Amino acid sequence: MTAFGTPAADLYGKHAGGDENGVGLSSDTAEHEILFGKGFIQIDTAGLTAIQLAFGSTTDGEQWSIFGSNTAGVLGSVVLSGAGDGTNTPVLASYRYYDVESSANAGGRNVLLRSMTANAAEVTPHGGVPEPATWAMMMVGFGAMGATLRRRRAVSAAVAA
């Protein structure tokens, strides 16, 4: 299968009712959908563990493909293809970017990305920045340690003399 187009510069939100709701491209000036050969939508999945996409605008049997890539702006390898309304769940283990493109050179030749849901990766908290009260207590503690060391030196010097 040959992939066409470039990443979308301008997304278009279409709200025409029925299956004519979703995200398309402004480059498809007639329909404002993802038109065959006129570009693709690239989704950055950094921090996600799974993504689910659903498609609309399928009254004429439009076809779509999802590609995976690790390079921004590059249409990678085909992960899934389908026709009509569809919900698919690629597991995000191999690619950072997933690209949505119309893959039909006949029929309606365009699709809409109707919805996208994703699962975020579980974030492990790192040690944060101490609060101001903690900083104040640390400063008092360091000051007390310095005063104690200074007093010991003064007492040691007096005993030695």
Side-chain angles (χ1 to χ4, degrees), residues 80-107:
L80 292 169
S81 291
D85 288 343
T87 301
N88 299 282
T89 308
V91 175
L92 303 180
S94 302
Y95 301 106
R96 173 163 179 183
Y97 301 97
Y98 282 84
D99 309 316
V100 177
E101 181 182 56
S102 173
S103 57
N105 194 16

Side-chain angles (χ1 to χ4, degrees), residues 97-123:
Y97 301 97
Y98 282 84
D99 309 316
V100 177
E101 181 182 56
S102 173
S103 57
N105 194 16
R109 297 173 37 138
N110 54 12
V111 297
L112 282 171
L113 179 56
R114 186 178 71 216
S115 69
M116 178 184 98
T117 55
N119 295 332
E122 200 169 308
V123 178

Side-chain angles (χ1 to χ4, degrees), residues 12 14 19-41 55-65 82-85 100-114:
Y12 184 89
K14 188 171 183 179
D19 68 349
E20 295 292 322
N21 293 316
V23 176
L25 303 176
S26 293
S27 61
D28 179 8
T29 55
E31 298 288 331
H32 297 295
E33 298 180 7
I34 306 168
L35 180 64
F36 178 79
K38 295 293 184 181
F40 57 90
I41 294 176
F55 297 90
S57 184
T58 57
T59 53
D60 293 328
E62 287 88 348
Q63 297 175 7
W64 46 265
S65 293
D85 288 343
V100 177
E101 181 182 56
S102 173
S103 57
N105 194 16
R109 297 173 37 138
N110 54 12
V111 297
L112 282 171
L113 179 56
R114 186 178 71 216

